[in-house]
């Protein structure tokens, strides 16, 4: 699935990385615990989270995650955008709850990490 498709399914706003929205995503992982994200060993992963702070972007950087979907109307800060841009990440903001977001993406064919 392309990041563009994820954004369309979720009616999400691309706040960083517009030029990379045709990148492939193979699976999704939802968590607000960044320590769980660090245990992942998956490429082309979308992280779905309701946590909107620099720790999320820094964790994604360390885990080689290049797409983050922020749920529940969380707003990405300018500092988060700056670091994400430096690391070629796509950041999406969406209005849905984490539960709805995951369900919509799974129904559309995005596979879980495990």
């Amino acid at each position: 699935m392309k990041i563009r498709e994820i954004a369309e399914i979720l009616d999400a706003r691309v706040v960083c990385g517009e030029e990379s929205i045709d990148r492939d995503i193979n699976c999704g992982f939802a968590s607000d615990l960044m320590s769980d994200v660090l245990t992942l060993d998956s490429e082309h992963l979308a992280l779905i989270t309701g946590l909107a702070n620099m720790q999320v972007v820094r964790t994604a950087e360390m885990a080689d995650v290049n797409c983050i979907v922020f749920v529940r109307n969380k707003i990405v800060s300018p500092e988060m955008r700056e670091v994400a841009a430096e690391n070629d990440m796509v950041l999406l903001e969406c209005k849905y709850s984490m539960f709805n977001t995951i369900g919509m993406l799974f129904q559309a064919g995005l596979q879980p990490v495990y």
Side-chain angles (χ1 to χ4, degrees):
M1 178 177 292
K2 304 278 185 197
I3 296 173
R4 173 186 308 279
E5 294 172 271
I6 291 172
E8 289 171 2
I9 290 163
L10 301 175
D11 193 26
R13 187 167 78 98
V14 179
V15 295
C16 180
E18 177 92 32
E19 66 282 353
S20 299
I21 63 172
D22 286 318
R23 186 179 295 156
D24 286 317
I25 296 295
N26 295 334
C27 56
F29 184 76
S31 183
D32 288 342
L33 295 173
M34 294 302 104
S35 57
D36 286 351
V37 176
L38 292 173
T39 66
L40 301 175
D41 187 23
S42 296
E43 291 185 13
H44 308 286
L45 168 81
L47 171 61
I48 300 128
T49 186
L51 188 63
N53 61 35
M54 280 300 295
Q55 180 185 3
V56 174
V57 178
R58 292 294 184 194
T59 302
E61 175 187 12
M62 291 171 40
D64 293 324
V65 172
N66 55 23
C67 178
I68 307 173
V69 179
F70 294 94
V71 298
R72 299 191 307 263
N73 287 318
K74 298 296 179 169
I75 303 297
V76 174
S77 72
E79 295 81 17
M80 293 165 65
R81 274 190 218 123
E82 183 179 331
V83 173
E86 290 170 4
N87 289 283
D88 196 29
M89 291 180 196
V90 178
L91 304 182
L92 305 174
E93 293 173 345
C94 109
K95 63 184 174 187
Y96 299 109
S97 69
M98 190 179 300
F99 185 82
N100 272 339
T101 300
I102 296 163
M104 292 165 74
L105 293 175
F106 184 75
Q107 186 175 11
L110 187 64
Q111 296 300 302
V113 172
Y114 53 85

